[in-house]
Amino acid sequence: MLIKFFFSLVIALILGFVTLRDIDFNSVYNIQEQVNWIYVIYAIGVMLFISILRSIRLKIMLKKIADISIFETFKINSVGYFFIMILPFRIGELAIPILIRNTYKVPMGSILSIVMIERVVDLFVLLIILFSVIYVSLLPPWLIQSAYFLSIMLIVFSFSVFFLLKKTDLVMKLLNPIFKFLPKVVLEK
């Protein structure tokens, strides 16, 4: 146990050195003196509030499949968002489902679908905020075009999911010709 601790400490020190070696701490100090700390405290408060709201949302979404407290979902969300920030290509999105699966023995498919629904809800909220801002202030054209594109993609995605859920028989009929080309091993799974 002691060896693992020292090994982890050595790796942390090496990575810390590599990360901080090119930083001019005098300029960091000068910039830090100019910061209005009221805004920093406000931003931390807003982020904490948003994290609590996301934890409550996750608890509500998991209510049918696992009994998890808001404090536990807050811890899981915090670790998950930490991994989202440090791992490339948003691989950290898998941290939340893995933590819930390992801790509460919930099927991975259920958790992944909940995470996917969370992201769609986040996209809806982002679009609502973006369209609210579009009508109140002047924004660059590329941002407005991005908002319209995201809206169209979200609508197409929503209708696709709705169609897949309501017309499963029709979807299977349409996909059967494609399934003929797949190996039997894949079809049996």
Side-chain angles (χ1 to χ4, degrees):
M1 188 70 166
L2 195 59
I3 294 172
K4 285 173 85 175
F5 173 75
F6 282 117
F7 182 69
S8 300
L9 184 63
V10 167
I11 288 177
L13 289 173
I14 291 170
L15 291 176
F17 172 75
V18 169
T19 303
L20 300 174
R21 69 176 175 212
D22 293 332
I23 294 178
D24 179 19
F25 288 102
N26 289 329
S27 63
V28 171
Y29 179 75
N30 292 335
I31 291 171
Q32 191 177 16
E33 285 182 337
Q34 299 171 2
V35 170
N36 187 347
W37 289 100
I38 298 296
Y39 293 128
V40 174
I41 293 169
Y42 175 73
I44 291 171
V46 168
M47 289 303 298
L48 186 62
F49 179 70
I50 289 170
S51 295
I52 291 170
L53 286 179
R54 287 183 175 198
S55 300
I56 292 169
R57 179 180 69 184
L58 184 61
K59 179 186 175 23
I60 291 169
M61 294 175 97
L62 287 170
K63 183 170 45 174
K64 298 278 185 188
I65 55 177
D67 185 30
I68 304 175
S69 69
I70 293 175
F71 182 67
E72 289 295 317
T73 56
F74 181 78
K75 290 192 306 188
I76 289 170
N77 265 335
S78 298
V79 172
Y81 288 118
F82 170 74
F83 279 110
I84 289 170
M85 284 188 283
I86 65 167
L87 294 176
F89 310 115
R90 294 190 63 92
I91 296 171
E93 289 284 356
L94 297 174
I96 294 172
I98 289 171
L99 285 170
I100 294 172
R101 183 195 67 190
N102 291 345
T103 308
Y104 296 97
K105 307 299 183 230
V106 178
M108 190 65 150
S110 301
I111 305 166
L112 286 174
S113 61
I114 287 173
V115 169
M116 187 173 170
I117 291 168
E118 275 189 322
R119 296 304 163 251
V120 171
V121 169
D122 288 345
L123 188 59
F124 270 120
V125 171
L126 178 69
L127 286 174
I128 289 169
I129 292 170
L130 192 58
F131 281 118
S132 301
V133 170
I134 284 174
Y135 293 113
V136 176
S137 63
L138 294 173
L139 294 175
W142 66 267
L143 189 58
I144 296 171
Q145 290 172 349
S146 299
Y148 290 135
F149 178 74
L150 278 175
S151 304
I152 291 168
M153 294 305 296
L154 189 59
I155 291 168
V156 168
F157 176 76
S158 300
F159 280 121
S160 301
V161 169
F162 181 77
F163 182 74
L164 286 171
L165 291 174
K166 294 297 180 186
K167 304 287 184 180
T168 309
D169 296 334
L170 178 63
V171 171
M172 290 308 291
K173 278 184 185 177
L174 293 172
L175 292 178
N176 271 338
I178 297 171
F179 289 156
K180 290 178 184 176
F181 296 107
L182 295 175
K184 288 184 180 182
V185 176
V186 175
L187 292 175
E188 291 172 359
K189 291 183 179 181

